[in-house]
Amino acid sequence: MTAQKQTDEFYMRRCLALAEKALGKVSPNPMVGCVIVRDGTIVAEGFHTAYGNLHAEAEALKSCGDVSGATMYVNLEPCAHEGKRQTTPCSPKVVASNISRLVVGAEDPIASHAGGIAAARAAGIEVKVGVLRDECVRLNSGFYNYASTSSPYVIAKVASSVDGRIALASGESKWVTNESSRRHARKLRQWADVLITGAGTVVADNPRLTSRLGDAKDPTVAIVDSALITPSDAALFDATREVIVFTVDDANPHKQRTLEERGAEVLRMGAGRVDLQKMIAELGRRKMTCAMLEAGHLCGQFLSKKLAHELHLYIAPKVLGPNGVGWSADGSLDASLTLKESCHFSGDVLHKYWVNGTAAWRDNT
Ligand code: AOF
Ligand code: ZN
């Protein structure tokens, strides 16, 4: 019996769902899912499970028999380069499989890796490109951004009251938003290679900065700390993870040693204030493609310096009053924001904004 025929978008959505299973496990490579369909039935699927493992197309092809005449869906153009493994690139495998149709979500932005679309066409395979392109690019925003900038895609997260306060006058900010919002925000930590925070936030909240979801790895923590006030017994040191403290050129060497004894790497980057541009460039040099900023105080600076690509603003139905701490105080906010999505979590609201002028590659999608 032949199954009901579905649209190309339907199968591309399945690719995206498969790809996302590897959230936090493949960076700096992209999340990729692949589905092979014949007569309306999915006959094989696969995804790139972890950095260094088989690509999605090879995963799908390895588990199925004859797929000649079938349609392959994949959210990223099949690669045509000799990669890090001994295995051959995907596009000859795709051609050899004798599929008759290839549906690609988005082109590979790395010219030396791309080539799968042209190779398939040259082999007489019907190729359709651009199905759910926006979603496909957005899933791998870190990968696409890195391909053209060599620096991380930065999402600034702010949790505030309806009157824009992130903390009480005392500095205390635990907990403005509810448990369900905070669980959602932890998923973004899983996406991130690096969590950027400020020493003030570490002192005030003593956050663990873990993702605490399943077997997710805990991201690197980068602390902006001009005066080296990060306590050496901060809870974030308890997790097995890399900690980098960015400080100023004339920082106190004794305090530096204390933090180094806790396993932190201390980098001097800037006179008077930490040079945030240089910090981002350094994270990029370390092949970090996805960064999350969790420090209300730094958020204004990141937006005004155009270092953040997205702002995720969680708003709790609370009023903290005029003495509370605002999140945009530091930095002149001439950044223009475009609302892309809103949702809510048990009474809290999340608005996701794009910061305009920070991602030329995205504006084309
Ligand atoms: C992936 N997973 O499923 C696909 C990728 O470093 P390598 O050898 O694994 O190659 C990574 C490149 O391969 C990546 O930058 C992208 O251009 C292409 N496709 N990568 O990690 C996949 N299909
Ligand atoms: Zn490949």
Side-chain angles (χ1 to χ4, degrees):
M1 192 182 73
T2 303
Q4 191 194 341
K5 210 167 174 318
Q6 299 284 359
T7 61
D8 287 341
E9 285 74 14
F10 174 89
Y11 294 115
M12 192 57 74
R13 263 186 233 296
R14 176 69 191 148
C15 292
L16 291 169
L18 288 167
E20 215 185 338
K21 289 185 177 193
L23 185 71
K25 299 192 179 131
V26 294
S27 181
N29 281 352
M31 289 174 265
V32 186
C34 177
V35 170
I36 303 176
V37 178
R38 187 166 28 205
D39 299 330
T41 301
I42 294 181
V43 294
E45 345 182 280
F47 65 101
H48 183 51
T49 52
Y51 181 78
N53 286 359
L54 282 183
H55 285 183
E57 305 91 316
E59 246 332 304
L61 286 168
K62 87 170 189 210
S63 57
C64 61
D66 178 20
V67 289
S68 50
T71 298
M72 174 184 278
Y73 294 85
V74 62
N75 56 295
L76 180 72
E77 172 178 6
C79 67
H81 73 300
E82 289 292 341
K84 67 172 75 65
R85 298 160 311 280
Q86 291 84 354
T87 52
T88 48
C90 295
S91 79
K93 293 176 193 162
V94 171
V95 169
S97 73
N98 271 327
I99 55 160
S100 61
R101 194 163 170 261
L102 173 67
V103 180
V104 173
E107 296 85 349
D108 193 317
I110 305 176
S112 57
H113 293 180
I117 292 171
R121 285 201 172 117
I125 296 172
E126 178 195 335
V127 182
K128 181 171 172 185
V129 183
V131 172
L132 300 184
R133 182 184 267 124
D134 280 9
E135 284 91 331
C136 293
V137 169
R138 240 185 278 173
L139 177 74
N140 286 309
S141 47
F143 170 72
Y144 276 89
N145 181 64
Y146 196 88
S148 57
T149 66
S150 301
S151 63
Y153 189 80
V154 180
I155 298 181
K157 184 217 109 182
V158 173
S160 91
S161 59
V162 287
D163 56 340
R165 310 286 162 186
I166 55 171
L168 297 169
S170 62
E172 197 205 328
S173 62
K174 273 184 176 175
W175 306 103
V176 177
T177 50
N178 66 31
E179 169 57 28
S180 145
S181 302
R182 296 203 306 273
R183 198 175 325 115
H184 185 264
R186 284 203 292 271
K187 182 135 194 240
L188 197 58
R189 287 184 179 167
Q190 203 180 338
W191 164 86
D193 300 318
V194 56
L195 300 179
I196 304 169
T197 191
T201 301
V202 176
V203 171
D205 293 350
N206 196 18
R208 285 184 287 173
L209 296 175
T210 52
S211 62
R212 288 166 271 166
L213 289 172
D215 60 348
K217 56 151 192 149
D218 285 318
T220 295
V221 168
I223 308 173
V224 179
D225 187 358
S226 314
L228 290 185
I229 57 167
T230 298
S232 57
D233 60 352
L236 62 90
F237 287 114
D238 295 344
T240 311
R241 55 122 65 88
E242 189 184 20
V243 178
I244 312 172
V245 178
F246 288 89
T247 191
V248 294
D249 300 340
D250 61 354
N252 181 320
H254 171 69
K255 288 183 178 170
Q256 171 166 353
R257 263 192 308 281
T258 314
L259 292 172
E260 284 168 347
E261 274 160 20
R262 285 307 315 264
E265 183 179 0
V266 179
L267 297 178
R268 291 161 185 262
M269 211 155 270
R273 269 188 132 177
V274 175
D275 185 328
L276 298 177
Q277 259 109 351
K278 279 196 185 151
M279 176 181 86
I280 289 293
E282 174 60 25
L283 297 174
R285 209 181 56 72
R286 293 170 185 233
K287 295 226 161 26
M288 295 188 184
T289 63
C290 301
M292 178 179 174
L293 174 67
E294 289 206 63
H297 299 285
L298 290 169
C299 200
Q301 281 192 62
F302 266 73
L303 290 180
S304 59
K305 289 185 197 311
K306 296 210 177 347
L307 292 174
H309 301 82
E310 288 182 31
L311 170 66
H312 290 193
L313 181 60
Y314 292 84
I315 303 173
K318 290 179 184 161
V319 178
L320 296 187
N323 295 328
V325 183
W327 65 265
S328 63
D330 200 1
S332 58
L333 268 190
D334 58 358
S336 64
L337 306 174
T338 307
L339 181 64
K340 277 295 147 195
E341 198 184 326
S342 292
C343 46
H344 51 89
F345 303 98
S346 313
D348 288 357
V349 181
L350 165 61
H351 295 307
K352 291 187 184 177
Y353 298 91
W354 279 352
V355 185
N356 288 347
T358 51
W361 53 270
R362 188 185 55 203
D363 296 339
N364 298 326
T365 65

